[in-house]
Amino acid sequence: MDQKGYRRGSFQSSTSDEDMLEIAGASLDFSMADDDPPLDREMGGFSSYNGGGMNGTSTMMDFLEEPLPGVGTYEDFNTIDWVREKSRDRDRHREITSRSKESTWALIHSVSDAFSGWLLMLFIGLLAGSLAGLIDISAHWMTDLKEGVCLAGFWFNHEHCCWKSNTTFTDRDKCPEWKSWSQLILGHGEGAFAYILNYFMYVIWALLFSLLAVLLVKGFAPYACGSGIPEIKTILSGFIIRGYLGKWTLIIKTITLVLAVSSGLSLGKEGPLVHVACCCGNILCHLFTKYRKNEAKRREVLSAAAAAGVSVAFGAPIGGVLFSLEEVSYYFPLKTLWRSFFAALVAAFTLRSINPFGNSRLVLFYVEFHMPWHLLELVPFILLGIFGGLWGAFFIRSNIAWCRRRKTTKLGKYPVLEVFVVTAITAVLAFPNEYTRMSTSELISELFNDCGILDSSKLCEYVNDFNSTKGDDLPDRAAGPGVYTAMWQLALALIMKVFITIFTFGMKVPSGLFIPSMAVGAIAGRLLGVAVEQLAYYHHDWAIFSGWCSQGADCITPGLYAMVGAAACLGGVTRMTVSLVVIMFELTGGLEYIVPLMAAAMTSKWVADAIGREGIYDAHIRLNGYPFLEAKEEFSHKTLAMDVMRPRRNDPPLTVITQDSMTVEDVETIINETTYSGYPVVVSRESQRLVGFVLRRDLIISIENARKKQDGIVSTSVIYFTDHSPPLPPNSPSMLKLRSILDLSPFTVTDQTPMEIVVDIFRKLGLRQCLVTHNGKLLGIITKKDVLKHIAQLANQDPDSILFN
């Protein structure tokens, strides 16, 4: 069928934070229009919309031969039409290709158009890597600022301050250039009063950072709070949230992410870095017309930007690409895979050039293990997987319950007070325990570490017997008093992290979940690793150890257990599998540990799925009522399209527009009395033969412009969507032709189509709506929200929860 409704160049998108559209000097506010409101909805949205009539001659106006600004764009909180966007892009590409044969300049334009995608990926990688380096350096410095200051230069963090010091390796953290607050104020760092002063300063700095973060978010960019991944998944599925990836969100999120991480709250920067990278991608899309004017093409860029975000968050470019493919992307063609890989590569290279941690690594907790693992160790690894699954399911249920309480009670009205209280409790509980006082990334680094001869950490205070040392590897040794002290401190840290993270994730500050989840798993893994190590040391003659763990051998690596535990807990919360394993082995640089990681990740997913099917991001999508149609779940119910379509029995008839018999006033009345996002166009009300589908927004813009710019368009002017004007009596006012805004090929199904096919069509084609016919006559309409409500009803959930909140 001829697709004249898809006109080249008729798509112009606005990505500003405002939801206003300037049309010939008049402002129309589209923020009230709903995607697909109920049929019995009261009059609203455009109740004040009307046009001033003008006397005119009886000539026919062939309007909209030239595309209008705003026609074909989308309102806020609406879903894009993937099919229309892809069709427009193909039209644009065909036009450029055909013109490239006409002149050299057109050929250059064609080459630049093909290259623009790669250039955009380069810019995204450079900007995302630079911002990640800035965030890492700033957060490291401000985290140390809570404990003291560097006299050599206040801009140095503790580690950088002590680089030029002449202190011994064991006293490297006690260099004279670094002064704690008690040493700075009292002149000494020992004694009860000095401890209390350091405690007080730690809490004060933590409160200052978190309050500044929440006030900036509340005052300048409310969308900068949280992780951002649930919303990015929803946006990538085709939903529009204006301003969520805007410039103010980027600026405020970058600043407040540093403040939130530095405050010591149980949150990470990795999830928000994905949001930051997607903001970079969205803003840089403005440089290229191809991406600025096409929402589907822009989402391909955002998928690649998400990969770059994970790449700089974990120093894992391949893991970032797989994360984008497995976890966030809705539409991921092969071309996007290659560009995601390039963006992730550039971002990782940029971060490596900045070298934010001074260790020539992309992350703080890079480790290398050298000892192989034994087959029998799969048993404790699977136990860690079970723990990760149980904790993931517990965390999701508890956090969603708390977030729902925040939404439905007065608690949600006091975000600043909530952040203040949670920060105060976290800081007061964290300071006495050195493993909660340090930043979570440093804690994970400590737990992943394989003890060497020079390590001065309490976790490495073993009873040394160097007579049995083989090569560079230390043998399994008896735990000293420092290890036992570290064990109970870690047990207390585990309890605190498990519970405080529930209340932290979802507050009105930027908060990632990757690092707290990994910390919980790493603590549990290290505890189990040390337990197995001591069991092997004292009972090496047991049958399970006798074959592979003789006395004096280095058999057990507790740091490996911490790594496996971290992967298990992160998998239990997010339900990632492939990308998780790749991220973890890119972190550690050891391919030989893929099997333990795979075993733990799959076990945690199975256990968590047995308790609840949703990961944390899907649960938050459902909590917020985003119209996200999950592609991974199967629809197994035996319902038909006629069971879901509207209008239902006893409902008013479907609102339609006829192709050549309605006046401007008739169409304006329909627009005023309904808030639907579009209307089917039929031959006549009697026949109900379908012609096409026209969007409400396009109708409003077209009629407004016709009234202002065309002579003779009055309220009694006939609107027609056909190729030729209908016969009218003499002296009739000018007619208005709107065929160019009509979609002549809307998707249709029959009333007997099984819903599993309809759901599949919505998922795979990204439809906004689908028309239902019977013997060629229009019966009703199914929208994306109708499908979501139907699925919720069949799952015994509240169907009204599928409303954007």
Side-chain angles (χ1 to χ4, degrees), residues 265-337:
L265 286 165
S266 183
L267 48 82
K269 62 181 182 296
E270 281 63 21
L273 274 175
V274 176
H275 188 183
V276 166
C278 285
C279 288
C280 296
N282 185 59
I283 291 166
L284 289 170
C285 277
H286 286 73
L287 300 175
F288 302 91
T289 309
K290 175 166 74 171
Y291 297 103
R292 183 175 72 246
K293 292 186 175 182
N294 193 296
E295 293 287 351
K297 295 294 289 180
R298 188 183 306 193
R299 275 151 182 75
E300 293 179 25
V301 173
L302 296 180
S303 292
V310 174
S311 174
V312 293
F314 289 104
I318 302 171
V321 175
L322 290 173
F323 173 82
S324 180
L325 174 60
E326 180 184 2
E327 190 63 26
V328 297
S329 292
Y330 197 82
Y331 174 67
F332 203 83
L334 194 60
K335 184 167 57 177
T336 304
L337 179 71

Side-chain angles (χ1 to χ4, degrees), residues 20-23 25-29:
M20 305 292 286
L21 188 69
E22 293 292 326
I23 304 174
S27 292
L28 297 180
D29 186 356

Side-chain angles (χ1 to χ4, degrees), residues 432-447:
N433 187 340
E434 64 176 286
Y435 292 111
T436 49
R437 189 190 316 163
M438 66 175 68
S439 75
T440 316
S441 294
E442 288 176 348
L443 170 63
I444 293 171
S445 177
E446 182 106 346
L447 294 167

